[in-house]
């Protein structure tokens, strides 16, 4: 018997044998990373929907006006998606995912800092209907 390990079976894509001891990239950790980042992206876009009445009340604006907090980022995402896909077509997807995850992670502290330094509105409660 030979002490040499047997080569792996032929690859479905190339028909060549894969080298022994070499692992495939990706797998479940990659799927979990994409799922976690997708969850964070969607949560940051959808979370304000449930808070619109409270946000509009604290800002003294109509709920429909506060709804622009959801509409505008959605429109920007719809316009940016094809552009980003085209621009990042030749880049490593992992690097693009990490860059976008870092960008969305930075928006939380920036939003907090903007509310901490924003001037306070002193208005009465908003009206619920048109004037």
């Amino acid at each position: 018997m030979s002490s040499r390990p047997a080569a792996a079976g032929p690859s479905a894509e190339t028909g060549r044998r894969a080298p022994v001891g070499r692992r495939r990239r990706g797998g479940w950790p990659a799927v979990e990373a994409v799922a976690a980042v997708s969850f964070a992206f969607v949560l940051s876009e959808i979370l304000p929907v449930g808070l619109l009445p409270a946000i509009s009340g604290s800002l003294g604006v109509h709920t429909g006006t506060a709804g622009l907090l959801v509409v505008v980022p959605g429109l920007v995402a719809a316009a940016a998606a094809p552009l980003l896909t085209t621009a990042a077509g030749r880049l490593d997807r992992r690097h693009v995912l990490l860059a976008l995850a870092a960008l969305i992670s930075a928006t939380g502290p920036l939003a907090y800092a903007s509310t901490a330094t924003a001037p306070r509105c002193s208005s009465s409660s908003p009206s619920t209907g048109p004037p």
Side-chain angles (χ1 to χ4, degrees):
M1 284 206 170
S2 171
S3 62
R4 226 172 123 194
S11 170
E13 296 171 2
T14 62
R16 297 184 199 154
R17 291 179 176 259
V20 176
R22 182 176 270 194
R23 292 182 43 172
R24 287 184 2 188
R25 284 183 162 177
W28 285 110
V31 172
E32 292 167 353
V34 170
V37 171
S38 298
F39 175 77
F41 286 163
V42 172
L43 180 67
S44 66
E45 290 178 6
I46 302 301
L47 186 64
V49 171
L51 301 174
L52 286 178
I55 292 170
S56 67
S58 68
L59 293 177
V61 297
H62 291 283
T63 306
T65 304
L68 293 173
L69 290 169
V70 179
V71 173
V72 173
L75 292 175
V76 170
L83 299 174
L84 180 64
T85 303
T86 304
R90 291 193 171 107
L91 299 176
D92 186 2
R93 290 184 187 115
R94 291 173 294 175
H95 296 143
V96 173
L97 180 65
L98 286 173
L100 291 174
L103 182 65
I104 195 116
S105 298
T107 60
L110 286 174
Y112 176 76
S114 70
T115 59
T117 60
R120 299 287 178 213
C121 297
S122 59
S123 65
S124 59
S125 65
S127 62
T128 56

